Amino acid sequence: MPGEHRSAENEGVEVVLDMLRSEGNRVTTSRRLLIRCLIEAKSHLTAEEIADDLERRAPDIHLSTIYRNLDELERLGVVSHSHLGHGPATYHLSTKVHGHLVCEDCGVAIEAPDEIFSQLALEIMEKHDFTIDTHHFAVLGRCGPCQSLLASTDPASKETSR
Amino acid sequence: MPGEHRSAENEGVEVVLDMLRSEGNRVTTSRRLLIRCLIEAKSHLTAEEIADDLERRAPDIHLSTIYRNLDELERLGVVSHSHLGHGPATYHLSTKVHGHLVCEDCGVAIEAPDEIFSQLALEIMEKHDFTIDTHHFAVLGRCGPCQSLLASTDPASKETSR
DNA sequence: GTCGATGCAAACGTTTTGCACACTG
DNA sequence: CAGTGTGCAAAACGTTTGCATCGAC
């Protein structure tokens, strides 16, 4: 059961709220709940999922408010969003940033430590003068189970990804 | 000036049309023009851009037809689409498949040879049992010019990516 | 003549925006 | 009480779909 007062979550919420205050932004119920939701979230959440979550505590928080607040928090650097496939974007705290490996078949999202990309980053920097950002878009592909399923079902794989 | 008859383009068009025929699909003007457009394209095209291009030769080809034909050609493995950022998807011949490095600031798309990803692919396969597909989504980041611009404009960079 | 492909319009899912009102500071 | 944040409705955007008609085979 999520904590009540003075929990680590509440502390984190306050830190972010202070950032908002110091930029002249106002602290509102929806913002408080949104930040708390993101801190407590174990996984990446779409705006819709956040809305569903917040609705349980405050029924009238509108999706557009969530989008606006997410944008605001993203401007502050507190929140990041990623595109894990064709559907909606997902949002999470920047402190939880990492790369993603997303299966094109089953949709599972594997979190990949940043180190795994460092060699690639270096090489791309040298050869293409380009600084990669491995967080914003997922690296798509196929997870082990789906890969073997594919191999057994359709040996002369015709490539149907979408 | 693009070639006329018996050009390499036309030959390629016919090859694809044969694939369509052999699957029981029909050969139509829009398909012929679409394939030709993709073969002649130097860069990745969005559905809209393709529509604009085809419109010059046949004014009545509807966007939905283009989407349907692109889907069809994708099923056949002739066409692939990629997501190069937040906007619409881009389409291109599968024979022209390669990775993309897309600048989040200026939007420039650098084409990256597949080899550059092979080390990463191997590592991810070993550590995460995951087969990456470096084509479908772009690798986002910042190109050299935008990176230095960023560094000079905003030394204590606050991270504003979208 | 059959059936697949098309044009059109309308729906879709996600995100953004314009406005009047509500609330924070 | 000033002005930011909000709910709501509607638009925007890229894409998909239903349907009657058209055209390839």
Side-chain angles (χ1 to χ4, degrees), chain A residues 55-141:
Chain A
E55 199 167 352
R56 287 194 311 249
R57 279 116 156 176
D60 275 343
I61 296 179
H62 202 268
L63 241 189
S64 64
T65 299
I66 292 174
Y67 276 110
R68 281 190 274 230
N69 284 339
L70 286 171
D71 277 2
E72 196 59 35
L73 292 173
E74 199 154 7
R75 276 205 323 99
L76 287 177
V78 177
V79 163
S80 300
H81 77 274
S82 321
H83 302 270
L84 299 190
H86 286 104
T90 64
Y91 296 82
H92 49 86
L93 293 184
S94 300
T95 53
K96 298 186 182 177
V97 150
H98 47 249
H100 300 101
L101 311 173
V102 175
C103 179
E104 291 179 295
D105 285 348
C106 71
V108 65
I110 300 169
E111 305 190 350
D114 281 2
E115 307 87 71
I116 211 166
F117 297 106
S118 53
Q119 174 59 35
L120 177 70
L122 204 67
E123 202 172 333
I124 286 183
M125 174 64 86
E126 281 171 4
K127 296 195 184 154
H128 299 279
D129 185 27
F130 189 93
T131 313
I132 67 171
D133 166 10
T134 47
H135 310 126
H136 191 183
F137 274 76
V139 176
L140 287 244

Side-chain angles (χ1 to χ4, degrees), chain B residues 1-11 13 36 40 57:
Chain B
M1 201 121 291
E4 275 260 71
H5 296 295
R6 244 159 268 183
S7 62
E9 281 79 23
N10 274 340
E11 207 180 303
V13 173
R36 175 170 160 187
E40 290 178 358
R57 278 117 157 177

Side-chain angles (χ1 to χ4, degrees), chain B:
Chain B
M1 201 121 291
E4 275 260 71
H5 296 295
R6 244 159 268 183
S7 62
E9 281 79 23
N10 274 340
E11 207 180 303
V13 173
E14 289 309 323
V15 170
V16 177
L17 291 179
D18 280 344
M19 293 180 65
L20 282 168
R21 275 188 269 258
S22 74
E23 291 251 327
N25 295 301
R26 289 174 186 175
V27 171
T28 62
T29 312
S30 64
R31 288 183 175 171
R32 205 182 287 275
L33 289 176
L34 170 58
I35 296 162
R36 175 170 160 187
C37 169
L38 289 170
I39 290 178
E40 290 178 358
K42 327 119 198 74
S43 65
H44 321 84
L45 298 174
T46 65
E48 199 94 40
E49 286 165 348
I50 293 171
D52 289 349
D53 187 288
L54 299 207
E55 200 167 350
R56 287 195 311 250
R57 278 117 157 177
D60 275 342
I61 296 180
H62 202 267
L63 240 190
S64 63
T65 299
I66 291 173
Y67 276 111
R68 281 191 274 231
N69 285 339
L70 285 170
D71 278 1
E72 195 60 36
L73 292 173
E74 199 155 7
R75 276 204 323 99
L76 288 176
V78 177
V79 163
S80 299
H81 77 273
S82 320
H83 302 271
L84 299 190
H86 286 104
T90 63
Y91 296 82
H92 49 89
L93 293 184
S94 299
T95 53
K96 297 186 184 177
V97 151
H98 47 248
H100 300 100
L101 310 173
V102 176
C103 180
E104 291 178 294
D105 285 347
C106 71
V108 66
I110 300 169
E111 305 191 349
D114 281 3
E115 309 86 72
I116 211 166
F117 298 106
S118 53
Q119 174 60 34
L120 177 71
L122 204 66
E123 203 172 332
I124 286 183
M125 173 65 86
E126 281 172 3
K127 296 197 183 154
H128 298 280
D129 185 27
F130 189 93
T131 313
I132 67 171
D133 166 9
T134 46
H135 310 126
H136 191 183
F137 274 76
V139 175
L140 285 246
R142 237 171 289 270
C143 70
C146 286
Q147 183 72 47
S148 22
L149 207 67
L150 189 74
S152 62
T153 314
D154 181 11
S157 170
K158 263 247 167 177
E159 183 106 358
T160 310
S161 73
R162 179 113 217 257

Side-chain angles (χ1 to χ4, degrees), chain A residues 40-51:
Chain A
E40 289 178 356
K42 324 122 199 74
S43 65
H44 321 83
L45 299 173
T46 64
E48 198 95 41
E49 287 165 347
I50 293 172

Side-chain angles (χ1 to χ4, degrees), chain A residues 12-33:
Chain A
V13 173
E14 289 309 323
V15 171
V16 178
L17 291 180
D18 280 344
M19 293 180 65
L20 281 169
R21 275 187 270 258
S22 74
E23 291 252 326
N25 294 302
R26 290 174 183 176
V27 172
T28 62
T29 311
S30 64
R31 287 182 176 174
R32 205 182 287 275
L33 289 176

